[in-house]
Amino acid sequence: MTHLNFPHLRADHYWLTNAHVPAPLLIGDDLPEVDELAHVDLEITNGTITQIVAHGSGHLIEDTVPTIDLKRGQVWSGFVDLHTHLDKGHIWQRSPNRSGTFQEALQRVQCDSEKYWDAEDVYRRMEFALKCSYANGTTAIRTHIDSAGKQSEISFKVFKTLQAEWSDRLTLQAVSLVPIDYFQTPEGEKLADLVAEVGGILGGVVFMRDDLDAKLDRVFELASERQLSLDFHTDESGDPDDIALRQVAYAVLRHDFTKQVVCGHCCSLAVQSSSEVFKTLKAVKQANIGVVSLPMCNLYLQDRNQDASQHFSPDLLLHEQFPSQTPRWRGITLIHELKHYGVPVAVASDNCRDPFYSYGNHDVLEVFNQATRIAQFDAPFTDWCQTVTTTPADLMGLPTVGRIGVGLPANLVLFKARYFNELLARPQSDRVVLRFGQPINTSLPDYSELDDLLI
């Protein structure tokens, strides 16, 4: 057997041996039955997985076929990033959010878009994001695109260009992003037509209003007429009275809507009473809605002001005495409860280096890593790896993405880390990313590429 270093591998036929694969990512018959990590060998032929067998099962590998002993290093499918904002990304340098609040983030992005967001600016920042995502091992991305007024034409045109240029490397989906009030106007109907033209998903931000049901009805009508799926921002707050997620579920049932609906954030669910939570869980499950939590961004944004803190701390004296406060909650939705209730739950990147989240690197492993800490996925790990692989792929309508099986493309991410503890203890910057069985260049783009836009 020949042992090769991955950076120099250019073989059409080889074996990955002695690998640990998260069991929930494996599909097919005759696979090892294990709780968390399957100990397997994988055969790769012409970019496709052609065999998966238990390591040490006695199967023969021809001496002429190269093998790579992974020494129990983990093998994952390519990541799936269900909720991003690539058009906003990487503007922190010129539009920082010094207070870290949601309201200032809105204001900063509005000002930045009005001043800078022409086609070149949006293209170069989105392309930079795609370079990062690709190098980190992501295979599919859904991005929300600010879509009010003339910006929709600019940004969706840029998206279509990038979608075509990256079609052999990444699956890209686009979602419109406007307050759902926008769909009550003729401009909103034109936006729905534009989304249909580019094969996108109709989406918007849902705020609690007295006439919310009527506004949702209009969005569902536009989507039904154009056969579009839906993706909403809901309840991104610490206000227990925000129940937009439930209202969206009722709208799905009211319209007998059969296309996939995804709701992001859903933060307020975590500060509601048990009786209110169960009402929402029941409706969301019945409506077959998928929920995507954005743990890093919501940890960063939520509970920045006193309103949410007051919900957890009746002692207002602290807020009166100190200029800043320690957050009292993590900002995320009830990920465990939703999952246990049978609701598909994913986690995703959300914003990156913009006024809504000043950090991030378009690395879904980081998302999973931080979600494990924030939402305690390690209690135990079981099938939580699906939150960044199979579950978001299914919600995006990509049934062969985010999993490992015979006959599927060898779009894999390989780590030296053998166990989940090792995987999440270090950044894994030495990972190997395979596309159709071949290692790619995982060098990240230099920040200086955007200097002329930002400085």
Side-chain angles (χ1 to χ4, degrees):
M1 295 184 181
T2 304
H3 295 271
L4 300 177
N5 292 323
F6 257 111
H8 307 292
L9 175 64
R10 285 295 181 269
D12 293 329
H13 182 201
Y14 63 92
W15 281 82
L16 301 176
T17 65
N18 197 13
H20 269 165
V21 179
L25 304 186
L26 289 169
I27 61 171
D29 300 325
D30 301 322
L31 295 172
E33 294 185 7
V34 293
D35 291 332
E36 287 189 353
L37 295 170
H39 193 194
V40 298
D41 300 338
L42 302 94
E43 182 185 31
I44 312 296
T45 308
N46 296 323
T48 299
I49 301 169
T50 46
Q51 285 193 73
I52 301 175
V53 296
H55 181 69
S57 60
H59 65 283
L60 296 177
I61 300 177
E62 297 177 12
D63 289 339
T64 57
V65 178
T67 68
I68 298 92
D69 183 353
L70 298 183
K71 301 179 181 179
R72 299 201 180 205
Q74 288 196 38
V75 177
W76 282 52
S77 59
F79 302 119
V80 181
D81 210 350
L82 178 59
H83 183 124
T84 68
H85 291 267
L86 303 186
D87 62 334
K88 288 185 174 75
H90 304 284
I91 63 174
W92 178 269
Q93 187 78 14
R94 70 189 185 201
S95 295
N97 176 1
R98 296 304 185 191
S99 71
T101 62
F102 190 87
Q103 287 304 316
E104 183 175 346
L106 289 172
Q107 295 165 3
R108 291 288 183 177
V109 167
Q110 178 68 26
C111 292
D112 195 89
S113 64
E114 292 173 354
K115 188 174 182 179
Y116 297 109
W117 289 19
D118 60 17
E120 180 186 3
D121 180 79
V122 175
Y123 177 93
R124 288 180 57 190
R125 290 185 293 101
M126 289 183 70
E127 182 188 46
F128 187 92
L130 296 180
K131 289 178 181 178
C132 295
S133 296
Y134 181 69
N136 284 322
T138 294
T139 56
I141 304 171
R142 175 179 289 187
T143 181
H144 297 258
I145 293 179
D146 284 25
S147 304
K150 296 180 180 179
Q151 193 63 50
S152 62
E153 294 284 350
I154 295 171
S155 295
F156 272 99
K157 185 175 181 180
V158 168
F159 170 80
K160 286 298 291 182
T161 299
L162 288 167
Q163 186 184 46
E165 291 175 353
W166 284 78
S167 61
D168 60 337
R169 291 165 286 176
L170 290 168
T171 298
L172 302 179
Q173 294 182 352
V175 187
S176 61
L177 182 62
V178 290
I180 63 167
D181 302 49
Y182 194 78
F183 292 111
Q184 316 303 308
T185 68
E187 290 75 14
E189 186 167 353
K190 292 178 182 177
L191 175 59
D193 290 336
L194 176 61
V195 171
E197 288 173 13
V198 302
I201 296 94
L202 200 63
V205 185
V206 184
F207 297 107
M208 291 301 300
R209 299 285 189 272
D210 291 339
D211 59 350
L212 177 56
D213 286 348
K215 291 178 178 178
L216 284 171
D217 286 343
R218 179 57 179 156
V219 180
F220 275 82
E221 289 168 2
L222 292 171
S224 295
E225 292 166 0
R226 292 159 182 78
Q227 291 297 295
L228 298 173
S229 297
L230 289 164
D231 193 322
F232 295 106
H233 284 55
T234 58
D235 303 328
E236 192 175 2
S237 78
D239 185 347
D241 292 328
D242 283 352
I243 57 168
L245 173 61
R246 190 191 309 168
Q247 298 308 112
V248 171
Y250 289 158
V252 171
L253 301 174
R254 189 163 61 246
H255 288 266
D256 195 23
F257 192 76
T258 56
K259 291 285 188 178
Q260 183 64 62
V261 178
V262 174
C263 288
H265 299 289
C266 314
C267 306
S268 65
L269 191 66
V271 297
Q272 294 168 4
S273 67
S274 296
S275 61
E276 292 299 307
V277 167
F278 275 110
K279 289 179 185 177
T280 298
L281 293 179
K282 181 179 179 181
V284 170
K285 174 67 181 304
Q286 189 175 357
N288 193 35
I289 290 175
V291 171
V292 54
S293 178
L294 298 314
M296 297 192 303
C297 186
N298 284 140
L299 182 74
Y300 178 82
L301 277 179
Q302 296 301 308
D303 209 6
R304 283 273 185 177
N305 54 42
Q306 295 184 10
D307 293 338
S309 296
Q310 291 173 9
H311 180 73
F312 293 94
S313 174
D315 186 1
L316 301 184
L317 180 62
L318 290 175
H319 300 296
E320 295 170 354
Q321 293 295 317
F322 300 108
S324 63
Q325 297 85 41
T326 303
R328 303 300 179 93
W329 72 303
R330 289 173 164 147
I332 57 172
T333 191
L334 298 181
I335 300 178
H336 285 263
E337 291 81 353
L338 286 159
K339 178 174 176 286
H340 290 313
Y341 208 80
V343 175
V345 183
V347 295
S349 296
D350 205 12
N351 299 70
C352 185
R353 299 182 65 237
D354 68 27
F356 286 92
Y357 184 60
S358 63
Y359 311 112
N361 189 37
H362 305 282
D363 183 1
V364 178
L365 179 65
E366 182 193 14
V367 177
F368 182 73
N369 188 318
Q370 294 303 319
T372 297
R373 292 157 167 73
I374 298 165
Q376 298 175 351
F377 284 173
D378 54 347
F381 281 108
T382 61
D383 58 354
W384 285 112
C385 61
Q386 293 181 304
T387 59
V388 293
T389 51
T390 61
T391 299
D394 290 342
L395 293 173
M396 289 177 67
L398 306 173
T400 62
V401 174
R403 58 210 82 204
I404 299 172
V406 172
L408 297 181
N411 295 328
L412 307 171
V413 187
L414 281 58
F415 304 100
K416 290 182 180 178
R418 298 164 297 175
Y419 308 101
F420 282 113
N421 177 269
E422 294 179 357
L423 181 74
L424 301 179
R426 294 178 179 174
Q428 305 301 325
S429 54
D430 59 350
R431 73 192 71 174
V432 174
V433 178
L434 301 182
R435 289 301 173 91
F436 298 100
Q438 298 300 318
I440 68 167
N441 182 356
T442 55
S443 300
L444 293 166
D446 195 279
Y447 288 132
S448 63
E449 290 184 18
L450 300 177
D451 278 356
D452 63 315
L453 296 179
L454 304 177
I455 299 176

